[in-house]
Amino acid sequence: MEPTLPHAPAAPDRTPVPRAVDADARRVERLCHATGLLLVLSGLAHLVVFAVDGGPWDGPVSWRKPVTFGVSFGVTLIAVTWVTSYLRVGPRPRALLLALFAADCVLEVGGITLQAWRGVPSHLDMETPFDTAVSMTLAVGGGVLVVLLTVLAIASFRHRPSGPAGMDLAVRSGFAILLVALASGAAMIARGVVLTRTGHQEAAYHSTAPLKPLHGVSLHAVLVLPALAWLLSLTSWSEPLRRRILYAAIGAYVAAVLGAALWAALAF
């Protein structure tokens, strides 16, 4: 009589994603990529406008703002859409969060671009009822961005992200550093609004300068670090070596963020 072998434990049931839900999620993903590309192209187009029209590059009224915000928001939207594919989030919640994020990105870039063409500041401008409405809309939109990206950051830490070796570390590090960008952005808006409300309009326009490098550097870690992890996965290097390179890159990025934070503290 042959011995009875123990049965292997049954695999846990997995609820398959309905095809309609998966198709909707894919459509939202493609829409976000297309929207991000259009925002980048809008920013680059305004670089041409600046070359033709001239004017100051810096200051509250300049073509720099639609250029930098268009490119930055477009790249960030594409990056977040790609990176969230590694998060263990259901297709419906992810699609909803990405759709809201894309709409908010369009709102922010659209408001900034509108004000640039009108020749007035886009942020912290309370000179007329219309300008106040635009400024407050951009401020509220910024708050929505903070909430959406914070939710995605929390999701990256609640469940380990999938992907090639090191991607989990890159995604979590990218989102953690992104939170610094959100905090610095919120601080810029809060400080500017306080100065505006207390009658220091010109000071409000220039109050954001010390925090801009910190905001800009920390904003794109969510793209740079996962992209590096993906590129390393294409090499034939051993996993320990790839992880060492990734740790070094994260350390360098954190050092850059700390340097920008120190500069902001000294210049504030």
Side-chain angles (χ1 to χ4, degrees):
M1 180 176 179
E2 295 182 356
T4 303
L5 298 177
H7 293 288
D13 292 333
R14 295 178 181 266
T15 304
V17 178
R19 289 186 178 180
V21 174
D22 186 59
D24 289 342
R26 293 293 182 185
R27 277 194 291 270
V28 170
E29 196 173 71
R30 289 194 295 270
L31 177 63
C32 289
H33 285 142
T35 303
L37 179 59
L38 288 176
L39 292 177
V40 171
L41 292 176
S42 172
L44 296 177
H46 282 89
L47 188 60
V48 177
V49 173
F50 168 71
V52 173
D53 186 62
W57 177 253
D58 204 5
V61 181
S62 70
W63 292 116
R64 169 188 58 82
K65 299 189 79 172
V67 171
T68 56
F69 277 83
V71 173
S72 184
F73 269 93
V75 169
T76 301
L77 175 56
I78 294 171
V80 169
T81 302
W82 169 59
V83 169
T84 54
S85 66
Y86 295 108
L87 300 184
R88 300 185 187 277
V89 179
R92 274 198 178 121
R94 175 173 175 256
L96 176 60
L97 290 170
L98 287 178
L100 291 173
F101 183 55
D104 209 4
C105 288
V106 172
L107 175 69
E108 293 289 308
V109 175
I112 291 162
T113 303
L114 170 66
Q115 296 298 74
W117 280 97
R118 293 182 66 236
V120 297
S122 56
H123 294 85
L124 309 173
D125 184 3
M126 310 294 179
E127 296 295 329
T128 69
F130 182 80
D131 293 329
T132 300
V134 173
S135 294
M136 295 309 297
T137 299
L138 293 177
V140 172
V144 173
L145 289 176
V146 170
V147 172
L148 293 174
L149 292 174
T150 300
V151 169
L152 292 173
I154 292 172
S156 73
F157 284 95
R158 284 190 62 192
H159 303 288
R160 185 175 181 176
S162 60
M167 184 60 76
D168 55 336
L169 176 63
V171 169
R172 285 174 168 175
S173 300
F175 272 115
I177 296 173
L178 177 63
L179 293 178
V180 177
L182 300 180
S184 59
M188 284 191 286
I189 294 173
R191 179 175 171 82
V193 169
V194 169
L195 288 171
T196 299
R197 295 297 187 187
T198 54
H200 301 88
Q201 187 68 62
E202 285 301 318
Y205 291 145
H206 300 288
S207 65
T208 60
L211 286 170
K212 284 180 180 178
L214 174 62
H215 182 70
V217 169
S218 53
L219 183 64
H220 296 295
V222 75
L223 168 63
V224 173
L225 297 178
L228 175 60
W230 177 75
L231 289 173
L232 288 173
S233 71
L234 302 179
T235 69
S236 58
W237 299 337
S238 66
E239 183 176 333
L241 175 59
R242 282 181 281 160
R243 283 194 173 273
R244 284 197 296 271
I245 294 173
L246 192 57
Y247 278 123
I250 293 171
Y253 213 110
V254 169
V257 170
L258 291 176
L262 178 61
W263 187 89
L266 294 175
F268 215 58

